Amino acid sequence: MRKTWLMPLLLVCLGASAQGRFVHTSGKELVKPDGTQLLLRGTNLGNWFEPEGYMFGLKDGPQSPREIEEFFNELVGPDDAGKFWHQYRDQYVTQQDIQLLRQVGFNSVRIPLHYKFFVAGNAEGLALLDRVVAWSKAAGLYVILDLHCAPGGQTGANIDDSWGYPWLYESKDAQQQLIAVWKRLAAHYRNDPTVLGYDLLNEPIANFPNIEIYNSSLEPIYREVTAAIRTVDANHIIILGGAQWDTNFKVFGPPFDKNVMYSFHKYWSPTTQQVIQEYLDFRDHNNVPIWLGESGENTDEWITQFVQLLDKNDVGWAFWPYKKMDATSSVMMFRKPEHWDEIVKFGQMKSGTGHAKERIAARPSVQDSRAALQGILENIRFTNCQPNVGYIRALGLTPPK
C-alpha cells in the first residue's frame, strides 16, 4: 500500500527546514531570510500575458485579451496575428527591463497571468515566466505571481478575459481548473525563493449589480486553492485579495493559513488616512501583513501623496503598470505605430459578422494593419521605450541616467 498520507507531512517538514531561504510572514510583517523586515516596492508587468485595450489606446473598442485577439485576427488574419502574439510576448519583457526596475529602486515585480498559458500541455507560459524569474533573481527582485485571468472569469469584466459574467463561482469545472493551474505553478516554483508568493485571484467580483451574491463563495474557493497548493508547496506566501476589485475585506474570516498576506487595490481615491484605515485595522486585528497590489493611473502629484501615505503606515505596494502606449502614468512608455489611429477608429465600429459589409468597407488595408502590428513589435523594444521621469520620481525612486 502506498503511504500517500506521508506526503503532506513531508512537505510541512521540508517547508519548515527551508523557511530560512524564503520570505515569509511574521505577524504584521514580511520577513526576509536574514530576519529583517521587507517592505515591497514594486510594479506590475501588465499588458504582457493579459493585454488590455486601454493600454493600446483602443478607446471604445476591444478591451479584453480575447476581444483584442479576435480584432487582430480580423485585421491581419489568424496566422499573422498568432505570430505577432508570440513575438510580442517574447519581446515585451526582457532582461534589460528587469535590470532597469532594479536600477531605479524597485525590489519586486507582480506578474499578471492568464490561466490559459499555464494549463497542462502549454509550455509557453512557464518558459517565459522562468526567464523573468531568473532575470529577477540576478537583479535582486522578488516576484509575485498574480492570476489575473482565471478559468470562467472571477470578475465579469474585461480584465479577467471572462464572458461578461464571473462564471468561476458557478462552475465546478472552472474551479477545478483553477486548482490545477495553481498546483502546476506551485509545484514548479516550490523551491525557488525568488518567487515571494501567489496572488490567487486578481480583483474578484466586480461591484456590478447582482454579482455581489458571490461574495460568500470567495473565501471557500481561496481555501480550496490554498489547500491544494499546500500539498505541493509549503514555502510560499498565499496572497488573498478582497471582493469588489480587491477592496472589500468584510468577506474574510480569521486567517486560515500560517503564511498569508492580504491584498487591497485603490485607484482614484483621496490620499487620506481614512482611505486605508479599514485595511490597517484588519492588519492589526488579525496580526497579518497587508499589501497594496495595484494603484496608479493618476497624476504624479497624486502618486507622490499616496506613496507617502503608504510608506508612513508601513504598507508595501506595487503600482500599475510598468509599460503602456503613449502614457505618462507608467514607468515606461512606448509610442503608437503608424496607422494606429485608423485601427483605433475601426475598432470603435459595431463588431460581429452581422456588420461584415460595413466593416470590410471601412477597415484599414491589410498592408497597413500588418505594418502597424510590426510597428508595435518595434516600439515595445526596450531601446525604443522612454522612461517617465516624473512618474518614477513620484514613486520616490531614482530615474535612470
Side-chain angles (χ1 to χ4, degrees):
M1 180 178 176
R2 294 180 63 189
K3 295 182 175 59
T4 54
W5 58 271
L6 284 171
M7 183 58 69
L9 180 61
L10 179 61
L11 281 165
V12 170
C13 294
L14 288 174
S17 63
Q19 193 69 63
R21 297 193 299 118
F22 291 82
V23 175
H24 59 279
T25 66
S26 178
K28 294 181 282 188
E29 297 180 352
L30 295 184
V31 178
K32 293 188 286 187
D34 64 6
T36 59
Q37 182 185 9
L38 172 63
L39 275 176
L40 294 173
R41 300 288 181 265
T43 189
N44 283 266
L45 301 183
N47 212 35
W48 181 29
F49 281 110
E50 37 64 74
E52 295 187 47
Y54 85 96
M55 286 199 273
F56 286 107
L58 292 170
K59 182 180 179 181
D60 300 325
Q63 294 300 312
S64 73
R66 182 184 299 109
E67 290 171 346
I68 299 168
E69 289 164 7
E70 290 175 353
F71 184 50
F72 285 13
N73 285 348
E74 183 179 7
L75 288 171
V76 299
D79 292 342
D80 281 1
K83 293 174 185 176
F84 164 83
W85 287 116
H86 281 293
Q87 289 179 267
Y88 176 87
R89 289 190 289 270
D90 184 59
Q91 295 172 200
Y92 200 76
V93 179
T94 67
Q95 187 168 18
Q96 290 171 294
D97 293 290
I98 298 301
Q99 289 171 336
L100 174 93
L101 293 177
R102 186 56 178 171
Q103 177 190 346
V104 303
F106 290 105
N107 63 13
S108 54
V109 290
R110 178 176 182 255
I111 305 181
L113 307 175
H114 194 305
Y115 83 91
K116 68 181 180 181
F117 296 105
F118 301 95
V119 297
N122 189 333
E124 182 184 9
L126 286 176
L128 291 171
L129 202 49
D130 281 349
R131 294 193 320 187
V132 174
V133 171
W135 296 334
S136 297
K137 178 181 180 180
L141 297 177
Y142 290 108
V143 172
I144 295 97
L145 304 184
D146 149 51
L147 197 61
H148 223 73
C149 303
Q154 75 276 13
T155 75
N158 65 296
I159 59 173
D160 65 358
D161 207 20
S162 71
W163 297 102
Y165 196 80
W167 290 113
L168 172 67
Y169 309 103
E170 290 281 348
S171 171
K172 291 298 181 183
D173 287 345
Q175 291 168 25
Q176 289 305 305
Q177 193 172 26
L178 172 69
I179 289 170
V181 165
W182 270 121
K183 279 190 71 173
R184 187 178 186 222
L185 285 164
H188 188 78
Y189 291 110
R190 62 187 168 194
N191 294 318
D192 195 328
T194 299
V195 176
L196 182 142
Y198 308 136
D199 195 345
L200 299 189
L201 288 173
N202 176 70
E203 297 187 349
I205 313 173
N207 59 344
F208 298 160
N210 303 322
I211 62 172
E212 292 186 7
I213 57 172
Y214 295 117
N215 282 5
S216 61
S217 301
L218 182 58
E219 191 169 67
I221 288 175
Y222 279 154
R223 285 176 176 270
E224 283 192 67
V225 176
T226 300
I229 288 173
R230 291 303 186 218
T231 65
V232 296
D233 182 351
N235 297 319
H236 287 94
I237 297 168
I238 300 296
I239 302 170
L240 306 178
Q244 283 72 64
W245 311 117
D246 274 11
T247 65
N248 180 3
F249 277 21
K250 294 180 176 66
V251 298
F252 294 127
F256 56 82
D257 189 87
K258 293 181 179 180
N259 201 21
V260 64
M261 178 167 69
Y262 292 80
S263 174
F264 70 100
H265 294 182
K266 278 293 177 183
Y267 287 96
W268 313 301
S269 63
T271 56
T272 60
Q273 184 77 15
Q274 184 180 1
V275 169
I276 65 170
Q277 190 60 51
E278 64 179 297
Y279 309 111
L280 302 177
D281 292 343
F282 182 92
R283 175 177 69 180
D284 294 342
H285 178 75
N286 291 286
N287 197 33
V288 290
I290 60 171
W291 171 59
L292 178 83
E294 283 186 29
S295 186
E297 305 278 30
N298 212 312
T299 64
D300 292 348
E301 180 183 15
W302 185 92
I303 289 168
T304 296
Q305 293 171 358
F306 200 44
V307 166
Q308 290 172 350
L309 175 69
L310 296 167
D311 289 350
K312 183 181 78 170
N313 289 278
D314 284 339
V315 177
W317 44 260
F319 273 70
W320 182 279
Y322 169 57
K323 179 165 55 177
K324 59 183 177 179
M325 182 185 287
D326 280 356
T328 57
S329 56
S330 56
V331 179
M332 298 284 273
M333 179 269 287
F334 64 93
R335 299 183 310 277
K336 67 181 178 183
E338 190 177 2
H339 308 299
W340 198 246
D341 288 339
E342 302 100 283
I343 286 173
V344 170
K345 184 178 180 181
F346 177 56
Q348 294 169 344
M349 294 182 64
K350 290 183 178 179
S351 60
T353 53
H355 303 282
K357 183 177 179 180
E358 300 94 326
R359 290 182 68 84
I360 289 173
R363 57 174 289 135
S365 71
V366 173
Q367 292 74 19
D368 287 351
S369 296
R370 286 173 176 160
L373 294 194
Q374 186 60 42
I376 287 178
L377 295 178
E378 288 298 319
N379 293 351
I380 64 172
R381 291 183 183 274
F382 177 82
T383 52
N384 294 330
C385 292
Q386 295 177 231
N388 285 312
V389 172
Y391 177 88
I392 294 170
R393 285 184 177 146
L395 292 169
L397 305 176
T398 305
K401 297 178 180 179

